[in-house]
Amino acid sequence: MEKIVTSLLILFISFGFSLKEKEDITHWKVSKESVVEILGKTNVNQFECAALGYQGNDILIETLSPEKHIAHWSGEIVLNSTNFNCYNKLMTRDFHETVRAEEHPEIRVRFLDLVRTNPNTPSESLKGNVEITLAGVCRRFPISCQLQIKQNGKTTLSGKQTVTFSDFSIDPPVKFFGTVKVHNEIQVRFGLVLEQI
């Protein structure tokens, strides 16, 4: 009898711990209202290329660990390389050539392990790592971004990451017999509009 009681007690305690440690998973759909831009400079001016025609439907996953009071975010957004528009026909064409859009039709931004340490606050900085795939080359970078939960039911995740063309084995474009040179450093900026599903 004592063995049965002991076994039941161990089973009950184990079951209790498994309940406590259960993770809460939330899926967030990335809306087509989201914005992803690539910004850069030349020796003459600045340029900005935005991803137009993004259809949304990519999914980010938030995994809440109640015992640790933190949440981890992960997921990926996939953009069509040829949908980037630099608001200048020549610059847009040069951008597509530079990122080898025909050969590599997708630009990917993958969030690996963003950590949210205060899940009950409406606004918070998340830190972690991101992988960016450009021109077929994938590189990992540390990143900090801002999460804002809005009353209209939508949430935004925004941030920016400075990279270089050479990170992706790309030579910065040089045009007009060397008179216009694109700087090696560019910035990937994003403002993702998220809807809980």
Side-chain angles (χ1 to χ4, degrees):
M1 182 69 177
E2 186 178 341
K3 288 183 179 179
I4 294 174
V5 172
T6 303
S7 299
L8 288 174
L9 185 60
I10 291 172
L11 181 64
F12 179 76
I13 291 172
S14 299
F15 182 70
F17 276 122
S18 67
L19 284 179
K20 286 182 180 179
E21 294 172 0
K22 185 178 179 182
E23 295 179 329
D24 185 15
I25 298 175
T26 304
H27 291 79
W28 298 88
K29 184 178 79 170
V30 183
S31 166
K32 61 183 180 181
E33 300 170 41
S34 302
V35 176
V36 179
E37 301 168 311
I38 294 178
L39 295 82
K41 296 179 180 180
T42 72
N43 59 321
V44 176
N45 57 17
Q46 299 180 349
F47 65 89
E48 178 180 317
C49 303
L52 304 181
Y54 175 65
Q55 296 301 309
N57 296 324
D58 289 318
I59 303 295
L60 300 185
I61 298 173
E62 179 185 23
T63 304
L64 175 64
S65 301
E67 291 296 307
K68 298 179 181 178
H69 303 289
I70 61 172
H72 291 269
W73 284 66
S74 61
E76 182 178 47
I77 58 172
V78 181
L79 307 160
N80 191 323
S81 302
T82 57
N83 282 356
F84 275 83
N85 189 317
C86 304
Y87 309 103
N88 174 293
K89 190 174 181 179
L90 289 175
M91 184 65 76
T92 298
R93 185 190 65 190
D94 290 345
F95 178 82
H96 292 167
E97 289 177 356
T98 300
V99 300
R100 304 166 196 151
E102 288 190 9
E103 184 182 353
H104 303 286
E106 294 178 343
I107 295 174
R108 295 174 173 264
V109 180
R110 183 181 175 206
F111 301 103
L112 299 176
D113 53 5
L114 297 181
V115 178
R116 183 181 180 192
T117 55
N118 297 296
N120 296 321
T121 58
S123 179
E124 183 181 354
S125 291
L126 278 64
K127 293 184 179 181
N129 292 285
V130 64
E131 279 184 354
I132 299 174
T133 303
L134 185 66
V137 177
C138 181
R139 291 288 181 266
R140 179 182 294 198
F141 305 92
I143 193 170
S144 177
C145 46
Q146 190 70 24
L147 180 73
Q148 288 189 320
I149 299 176
K150 300 186 177 181
Q151 293 181 348
N152 61 5
K154 293 184 179 179
T155 295
T156 59
L157 182 67
S158 57
K160 55 189 176 181
Q161 179 63 47
T162 299
V163 301
T164 65
F165 281 112
S166 55
D167 286 331
F168 301 94
S169 303
I170 298 173
D171 294 325
V174 178
K175 297 296 177 181
F176 302 113
F177 304 102
T179 58
V180 179
K181 298 179 181 180
V182 175
H183 294 181
N184 190 33
E185 188 174 275
I186 55 175
Q187 188 177 88
V188 179
R189 187 169 66 188
F190 59 89
L192 306 182
V193 179
L194 309 176
E195 299 175 1
Q196 187 173 338
I197 57 175

